[in-house]
Every structure is written in C-alpha cells, then in structure tokens.
Amino acid sequence: MKQPIFLTPTFQERIWGGENLRKLYHYEIPSEHTGECWAISAHPNGQSVVKSGRFEGKNLSQLWSEYPELFGHYESDHFPLLTKILDANDDLSIQVHPNDSYARQFENCELGKTECWYIIDCAEDAEIIIGHHAQTKEEFMHLIENNQWDELLQREKIKPGDFFYVPSGTIHALCKGIIVLETQQSSDTTYRVYDYDRPSPSGDKRELHLEKAVAVMTVPHVAKKVEPKVWEMDEATITTFVEDRYFTVYKWEVHSRLELVQDQHFMIVSVLEGEGTLEVNRHVYPIDKGQHFILPYRIENFVLNGNMSLIVSHP
Ligand code: ZN
C-alpha cells in the first residue's frame, strides 16, 4: 500500500498543561490542563488511530504487528518512536529517563527514553533545564537535601526554532511558556527528582523517584550539542538536526515545492505550520498545520507543494 497513513492523536492532561494545543492546532482537547498531544504513538498509554483509508480505525500498534510490510519489516517488537507536542503552560518536574538496559530490567521491558525537542514557540524569557553542576552523586544529593536548586541545575535560554538533544540519563525539564515537538523513543518512564513541592489537583504531591533517578543519571553531566546541517534549495530548505542511534530528525521548510524519495523503512511527519498538498502516486492529499502522518515503506517519490514547515523523523 503506497499511500500516506494519516493519524488521529490522543491527549494527556497534566498539572502543567494549558489550552495552547487548541489555540494553535484547533485540537479538541479534554480540558484547560492539556499538556501533551501524542501525535504519532503506538505506546499502550496513548495510541494514535488511523483516520481514513483501508486501515481506518486501527491503532498504530495493530498496524505494526499486522502489516509489517508497511514498515519495511523493521526489526523491533514495538513501534520504536513517539512524537508528541507539549504545552508547558507551567514548569514540568525536574526529571530523568533510564536507558534501554535499565528500563528492560526494572520497568517491565519498556524501552529507555532518549528524546529531543524542537521549540515551536516560547515566551521571550523562556528557559529549559538541561544538565546539572554536580561532580559526584554525593554532591548531587547534598545540593538536593539543602534545596540548592539554583546551584545544582543548569539553565539555558531558548528561542523558537531551537533544537535540543536529550539522551537518557540527562537531568532536564521544560520550564513554563514553551510549546515543543518532542521526538522520543516509545517509552513512558520518567523519574521525577523535584516537582516544586506543588500539589496535584487531588491535593497530593506527585510521587518523586529520587533513588531511581540517581541510579540512571549521568554524573558529571555531559553536554550533547548537535550541529544542524542545513541544505538550502530554491523552493525548500532541509535541516538535519540529529542523526543518532535512535532517530534521525529533520525540518522540511517548503517555500513552494519539495520532491523527495522515501528511502527509509518509514518516515513520520508532523505539519507544524502552513498548508499545502502531499502528492503520492498521482494522488493528492491536502495537508495543513496540526496533521500527522506516516510515509510507509517504498512510497518512493513524493511531492510537497505549498508553504509549510514539517518535522520529520525515522529510526
Ligand atoms: Zn523528558
């Protein structure tokens, strides 16, 4: 089947969420505390469902197991990636994620979680937390016990269009006023280090996981800067943000036309800005901001027409 597969996202409410996913993308969100749009997901905690066509109504993990030819028989028990859009209307907890081997052993065979962020929009003074200043685990614990968060945590100012690579083991957090597209391994395991002592809507504080966090975190912090590679053409620009073990992530900026070959097992695509069409095998599909789709195996040539900006990834 050489057609794109359009998906319907699911939404997750979070204490730090807001209403920006409706304002920006006209999504029907469940409440004014909607934190996450799981746009392309086969994770059991929030599955994308096929919107139309032959596979309409099937979820992505069904597609993965029943039609492996769509994904070029990519070798993995589970769909390996997860694309989210996050609305950090308030600060997220300071957190860290395990790697594959720790998650396999202690989290019921989950994958580890290496993630990356494309900053869609943010407040003028917005910051992220990425990394820490402790040289040893003892120093880390000492600073936490004394509530010396400013001495411990490394902050960085951000602007729209920035990209950050966050390997498993990195202490990190989105701070308030940020909309992000996250490309990550398909995992939902987070160890919280600090949650600003704030209560959840039910009145309790959310659980912390300090022991596991310290077990999996990288000490001292190792900064992983990625240098984007930009390829400018007359009618489009392709930026490659990262090519690493778990994923390759691009931005395609289409000024009028972009013709490419789908030469991967599959590609996952999110339209972040603008509108236009996708032409595959002489079929023309209208696309616009907020849509997410998969280009399955061996689609070969395809053409994007219009004026739009897309984030694309593949394993
Ligand atoms: Zn995270």
Side-chain angles (χ1 to χ4, degrees):
M1 193 184 82
K2 297 183 178 180
Q3 287 170 14
I5 300 167
F6 288 91
L7 298 165
T8 304
T10 60
F11 296 91
Q12 310 274 350
E13 296 179 74
R14 299 285 186 253
I15 59 171
W16 43 262
E19 295 179 278
N20 287 308
L21 296 175
R22 178 174 59 225
K23 290 178 191 159
L24 279 171
Y25 300 110
H26 307 292
Y27 293 141
E28 279 182 41
I29 55 172
S31 78
E32 67 277 18
H33 286 287
T34 303
E36 307 191 0
C37 162
W38 288 26
I40 300 174
S41 164
H43 195 281
N45 295 354
Q47 291 256 7
S48 308
V49 176
V50 180
K51 220 180 219 175
S52 54
R54 180 178 155 200
F55 304 111
E56 184 175 340
K58 284 192 184 289
N59 67 38
L60 187 49
S61 64
Q62 278 175 304
L63 228 52
W64 183 259
S65 54
E66 292 169 22
Y67 303 94
E69 64 277 12
L70 293 173
F71 308 97
H73 296 270
Y74 185 83
E75 260 191 65
S76 168
D77 289 344
H78 304 286
F79 187 81
L81 299 179
L82 174 49
T83 302
K84 292 177 183 174
I85 301 177
L86 306 187
D87 172 12
N89 198 49
D90 199 350
D91 296 322
L92 272 73
S93 63
I94 315 297
Q95 57 186 259
V96 61
H97 308 293
N99 63 16
D100 285 339
S101 68
Y102 188 94
R104 198 177 303 123
Q105 196 177 352
F106 296 105
E107 300 294 345
N108 209 7
C109 296
E110 268 259 292
L111 292 176
K113 186 169 162 189
T114 284
E115 65 191 57
C116 61
W117 303 331
Y118 174 77
I119 310 295
I120 297 173
D121 199 8
C122 63
E124 205 160 309
D125 54 351
E127 292 181 329
I128 57 168
I129 289 166
I130 187 156
H132 62 83
H133 298 293
Q135 293 304 305
T136 62
K137 292 191 176 184
E138 291 69 31
E139 189 188 352
F140 187 88
M141 288 308 298
H142 179 79
L143 289 166
I144 287 182
E145 279 155 18
N146 292 301
N147 266 305
Q148 289 174 284
W149 300 103
D150 291 342
E151 287 84 347
L152 178 62
L153 300 171
Q154 207 163 298
R155 289 172 172 274
E156 198 164 323
K157 291 236 183 292
I158 61 165
K159 58 184 190 313
D162 284 349
F163 183 88
F164 296 92
Y165 180 55
V166 188
S168 58
T170 307
I171 298 284
H172 66 277
L174 293 171
C175 305
K176 73 172 172 196
I178 306 176
I179 313 283
V180 123
L181 183 134
E182 179 173 282
T183 304
Q184 58 162 97
Q185 290 182 269
S186 182
S187 163
D188 198 21
T189 302
T190 294
Y191 301 144
R192 278 188 213 110
V193 174
Y194 181 52
D195 200 26
Y196 302 96
D197 291 317
R198 65 186 157 184
S200 73
S202 64
D204 317 320
K205 288 180 188 168
R206 296 193 296 174
E207 193 188 347
L208 300 180
H209 320 87
L210 201 48
E211 207 168 300
K212 284 181 168 176
V214 171
V216 304
M217 71 178 196
T218 308
V219 189
H221 171 64
V222 181
K224 260 274 202 178
K225 288 268 181 232
V226 286
E227 262 322 305
K229 281 181 250 164
V230 182
W231 179 29
E232 282 194 52
M233 295 159 277
D234 286 343
E235 298 173 302
T237 303
I238 295 180
T239 304
T240 307
F241 287 118
V242 62
E243 293 177 271
D244 209 357
R245 181 170 162 197
Y246 298 108
F247 41 69
T248 298
V249 181
Y250 313 90
K251 177 162 70 167
W252 296 346
E253 288 163 286
V254 183
H255 313 311
S256 54
R257 187 174 191 277
L258 177 63
E259 179 167 0
L260 290 171
V261 177
Q262 204 300 68
D263 55 0
Q264 302 295 324
H265 285 86
F266 59 94
M267 286 180 170
I268 64 183
V269 185
S270 297
V271 187
L272 289 188
E273 224 16 276
E275 59 184 334
T277 59
L278 164 67
E279 196 180 321
V280 180
N281 292 311
R282 288 186 294 277
H283 288 272
V284 178
Y285 304 86
I287 55 176
D288 66 355
K289 114 184 211 176
Q291 276 188 326
H292 308 273
F293 58 90
I294 297 175
L295 293 171
Y297 188 59
R298 288 230 153 163
I299 251 190
E300 293 166 358
N301 287 51
F302 65 93
V303 183
L304 293 159
N305 277 301
N307 193 332
M308 51 194 166
S309 163
L310 309 94
I311 297 286
V312 183
S313 60
H314 59 74

